[in-house]
Amino acid sequence: MDFNLADIGEGIAEVEIMQWFVKPGDPIMQFDRVCEVQSDKATVEITSRYDGVIDKLCYDIGDMAAVGQPLITIKMEAGAGEPESADIKGAPPSTASSDTASTSSSPPKKKVKIDASKVLTSPAVRRIAKEESIDLTEVVGTGPKGRLLKEDVLNYVEARNNGTLPSSNAKEASINAPVQNTAGSSSPTQHEAVFEDRTIKIKGLQRIMVKTMEAANMIPTFGYCDEIEMNALVEVRRQLKETCVKQDINLSTMPFFLKAASLALLEYPQLNAHVTCEHCTEVTYKGSHNIGVAMDTPRGLLVPNIKNVQHKTIKELAMELNRLQKLGSEGKLGPADLSGGTFTLSNIGAIGGTYASPIIVMPEVVIGALGKFQTVPRYNDKMEVRPCTIMSVSWAADHRVVDGATMARFSNVWKTYIENPNTMLLDL
Ligand code: COA
């Protein structure tokens, strides 16, 4: 019988297959892990609803699997199945988000022989291997814990194309290939192989980014930039950081930016809003300040949000940010953290740059991009030059519902809180 990919919510229509935990011929039991998939919201493990034997995997790794369509087919003993429940409509959820995966998914009952899908590597490398028809188990990984790196596969391809890959000893040849490359002279063939044009399909998170960014680009956006003096905040953070370290909390400047934004949103609630996407017929002023934080994760840009910033202390915001960063770095951010944002800050300055032109996270109406802190000379009241740490902010607002003056006034309040962090105490 067909085992369909169940609806994983949040309007997700398709997901990318990241890895299979089973292969044809494997016995499978209810709650055994079938595969790992990725949507723009989360990485999710799909578990079996049935006992039987895997007949067919309907997708290769890197393929996009459609919700409601067969994911695998399972051979079942006569009478053991419930064919009608293969239809996803109304079926019990067969997925476990990565947040809960460790508790909800028991280890596979049968030991599965290592296959290509178990090889430690990235989807991009799998894609290259697929395009080059390479069996990943034949290539030796030179990364940490034997991880297969892009270079490992490219070197393997080159060795194979040069005819220096003995079929009986593929792994050794793969190891030797880079040595030959670096030690040997730079023959044109080697360069051609390395610098070949490469066309790849835009899939997974990137494909979702194409769709959402194209839609967001239709919003008439107003830009507004300013510079913030950071001297006082840098000092306050320095004083408090040590106390937080003792409590195992990393206190960056972000929690202060978030709190200042929430306090300013209390004065300008029209910026903490959602609009109906396509025709902007309604605007909803959101009650909670669920402030999104653009996050650079190994899987790409994700925007988890901190819920109810208006009720949280700066320490609680730091703890929440630490939690989200940890989940982000492990690729485990789930729909609960990724949905429901009402306003966004993007600290691109943590990577670099002064000004930016951020794109609004629909259906929100404002996003702020923060630049890199820079110490520059500035005049004080007595016209004396002094060193000053400056951070730029670049706001983008949906001009259909936010006017420039409101954006500027909000920014002024936010800026005043950051330049005088002690004043936040009065409003906490
Ligand atoms: N300018 C200079 N340094 C900065 C900075 C800035 N704007 N923001 C952070 N830093 C510093 C921090 O002070 C910290 O250094 P320290 O501990 O030695 O003092 C260091 O960079 C690391 O900070 P981190 O914990 O990463 O920063 P954070 O809490 O301020 O930011 C994130 C967390 C998630 C926002 C950040 O890591 C991130 O991913 N930023 C990228 C956002 C992005 O990609 N936006 C683009 C959207 S298109």
Side-chain angles (χ1 to χ4, degrees):
M1 66 175 293
D2 288 343
F3 176 99
N4 291 347
L5 176 61
D7 186 352
I8 56 177
E10 294 283 330
I12 293 165
E14 56 180 10
V15 292
E16 182 172 355
I17 305 285
M18 303 301 287
Q19 60 172 321
W20 288 105
F21 299 118
V22 292
K23 62 180 186 313
D26 281 351
I28 188 147
M29 300 181 75
Q30 282 184 56
F31 306 115
D32 279 356
R33 296 184 304 165
V34 174
C35 62
E36 185 187 48
V37 299
Q38 184 179 331
S39 72
D40 61 329
K41 305 281 184 199
T43 304
V44 172
E45 282 184 4
I46 308 290
T47 55
S48 177
R49 290 202 293 278
Y50 310 108
D51 297 345
V53 173
I54 303 289
D55 180 41
K56 192 176 92 181
L57 309 182
C58 300
Y59 299 98
D60 289 331
I61 287 166
D63 284 351
M64 299 304 289
V67 166
Q69 296 301 311
L71 185 65
I72 53 174
T73 58
I74 301 181
K75 284 186 200 153
M76 301 169 74
E77 284 189 19
E82 304 163 65
E84 69 279 9
S85 63
D87 182 355
I88 56 155
K89 293 272 187 292
S94 68
T95 59
S97 82
S98 46
D99 293 345
T100 56
S102 55
T103 52
S104 64
S105 56
S106 53
K109 305 277 183 299
K110 297 263 175 185
K111 198 168 180 352
V112 177
K113 183 177 166 285
I114 295 290
D115 60 17
S117 69
K118 300 273 191 305
V119 172
L120 193 58
T121 189
S122 67
V125 172
R126 287 187 197 286
R127 243 168 258 146
I128 297 172
K130 194 177 155 199
E131 284 161 19
E132 298 286 352
S133 307
I134 289 174
D135 177 357
L136 283 177
T137 59
E138 291 293 312
V139 186
V140 171
T142 59
K145 295 184 184 163
R147 189 179 182 85
L148 263 193
L149 306 178
K150 188 176 167 189
E151 296 91 308
D152 297 330
V153 173
L154 293 178
N155 288 329
Y156 184 98
V157 172
E158 192 175 332
R160 185 189 63 184
N161 294 348
N162 291 343
T164 56
L165 187 68
S167 56
S168 59
N169 204 1
K171 292 205 173 194
E172 283 77 357
S174 171
I175 295 170
N176 289 339
V179 178
Q180 289 166 2
N181 285 349
T182 47
S185 63
S186 52
S187 79
T189 352
Q190 283 171 344
H191 279 294
E192 276 161 24
V194 173
F195 296 112
E196 252 175 25
D197 292 350
R198 189 171 289 281
T199 305
I200 51 161
K201 275 222 156 72
I202 296 178
K203 288 182 173 179
L205 201 56
Q206 227 187 335
R207 181 154 152 189
I208 313 258
M209 197 153 87
V210 169
K211 286 184 190 163
T212 49
M213 290 302 113
E214 279 179 354
N217 199 37
M218 301 303 286
I219 300 172
T221 305
F222 165 82
Y224 177 86
C225 302
D226 202 356
E227 283 185 346
I228 322 288
E229 280 199 17
M230 294 284 294
N231 291 14
L233 181 56
V234 167
E235 180 54 22
V236 166
R237 182 210 173 209
R238 193 191 61 72
Q239 288 168 10
L240 299 175
K241 195 171 161 58
E242 210 42 47
T243 312
C244 286
V245 167
K246 285 184 191 142
Q247 298 173 43
D248 221 12
I249 302 166
N250 175 33
L251 179 70
S252 68
T253 43
M254 269 315 268
F256 297 91
F257 299 148
L258 291 162
K259 195 70 206 177
S262 176
L263 291 171
L265 285 173
L266 291 175
E267 287 186 44
Y268 295 95
Q270 58 272 51
L271 303 191
N272 189 58
H274 281 183
V275 287
T276 43
C277 284
E278 210 177 321
H279 300 296
C280 194
T281 47
E282 277 178 354
V283 54
T284 306
Y285 300 129
K286 304 296 280 184
S288 297
H289 297 168
N290 298 344
I291 305 190
V293 177
M295 204 168 270
D296 180 38
T297 76
R299 292 208 165 152
L301 170 72
L302 288 172
V303 190
N305 61 81
I306 299 184
K307 305 278 187 300
N308 292 307
V309 174
Q310 78 278 13
H311 291 322
K312 291 193 163 67
T313 63
I314 285 171
K315 189 168 95 176
E316 286 168 337
L317 293 174
M319 289 162 67
E320 192 56 3
L321 188 60
N322 290 176
R323 182 184 72 82
L324 294 174
Q325 278 181 284
K326 183 164 183 293
L327 289 178
S329 66
E330 293 167 352
K332 288 184 177 170
L333 280 168
D337 289 318
L338 289 164
S339 55
T342 59
F343 181 98
T344 296
L345 288 180
S346 171
N347 185 4
I348 188 72
I351 301 172
T354 44
Y355 290 92
S357 181
I359 309 273
I360 291 169
V361 181
M362 294 184 309
E364 297 168 23
V365 299
V366 176
I367 183 171
L370 313 173
K372 184 179 170 173
F373 314 153
Q374 301 179 81
T375 304
V376 294
R378 282 284 191 274
Y379 290 111
N380 64 14
D381 298 343
K382 296 175 193 149
M383 295 305 282
E384 297 159 341
V385 175
R386 67 192 167 106
C388 186
T389 302
I390 293 287
M391 178 189 74
S392 71
V393 59
S394 307
W395 299 106
D398 185 336
H399 212 340
R400 297 172 300 181
V401 291
V402 178
D403 59 42
T406 310
M407 187 71 249
R409 288 191 186 105
F410 166 87
S411 183
N412 287 343
V413 174
W414 183 76
K415 171 176 166 149
T416 305
Y417 277 124
I418 293 171
E419 293 190 340
N420 309 280
N422 293 346
T423 58
M424 279 196 253
L425 291 172
L426 296 174
D427 296 314
L428 289 179

